[in-house]
């Protein structure tokens, strides 16, 4: 079984939802989640870790962005086909473009979710 370490921003409402969903899907416990904002150890600077999503498969190289999501998907049987497809450089290239687009709107989504959660 492949093991994946995922670093995330535990203060980000988007990240909290994403990680909660992955924890529910990770029935085998293949993913170790590290909350960077909560003081978890980082393989690179904390600022860099908080700016983008990071993961590492089985002690391999540190991955970021779309490649990190693909690594996390490969650890979850239900999502493994998506992660395997992302090994194709054309597919990964498209996912990278989507991720960069997401990073541009992420601050607005975070503010919107924070306001929404504050009302409930």
């Amino acid at each position: 079984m492949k093991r994946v370490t995922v670093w995330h921003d535990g203060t980000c409402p988007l990240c909290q939802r994403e990680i909660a969903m992955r924890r529910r899907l990770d029935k085998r416990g293949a993913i170790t989640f590290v909350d960077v904002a909560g003081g978890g150890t980082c393989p690179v600077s904390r600022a860099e870790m908080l700016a983008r999503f990071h993961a590492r498969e089985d002690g391999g190289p540190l991955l970021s962005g779309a490649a990190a999501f693909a690594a996390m998907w490969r650890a979850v049987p239900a999502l493994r086909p998506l992660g395997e497809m992302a090994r194709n450089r054309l597919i990964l290239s498209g996912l990278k473009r989507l991720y960069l687009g997401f990073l541009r709107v992420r601050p607005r989504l975070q503010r919107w979710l924070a306001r929404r959660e504050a009302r409930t």
Side-chain angles (χ1 to χ4, degrees), residues 100-116:
L100 290 174
F102 163 76
L103 288 178
R104 284 192 289 277
V105 298
R106 178 182 174 204
R108 283 178 284 195
L109 289 172
Q110 288 173 315
R111 287 190 300 272
W112 176 78
L113 268 177
R115 283 192 308 267
R116 185 174 172 233

Side-chain angles (χ1 to χ4, degrees), residues 6 12 20 25 27 29 39 43 45 48 53 55-56 61 65-66 68 73 86 88 91-92 95-96 98-99 108 113 117:
V6 169
C12 166
L25 291 173
K27 307 245 186 263
S45 78
E48 189 177 339
F53 190 77
R56 177 176 282 147
W73 297 337
N88 176 292
I91 292 173
L92 185 57
L95 290 172
K96 285 178 179 179
L98 289 171
Y99 185 74
R108 283 178 284 195
L113 268 177
E117 289 175 357

Side-chain angles (χ1 to χ4, degrees), residues 2-6 22 26 28-33 72 75-76:
K2 283 213 176 217
R3 302 276 317 153
V4 177
T5 302
V6 169
R22 293 297 173 254
D26 183 24
R28 301 176 311 146
I31 305 172
T32 300
F33 295 97
M72 183 173 60
V76 177

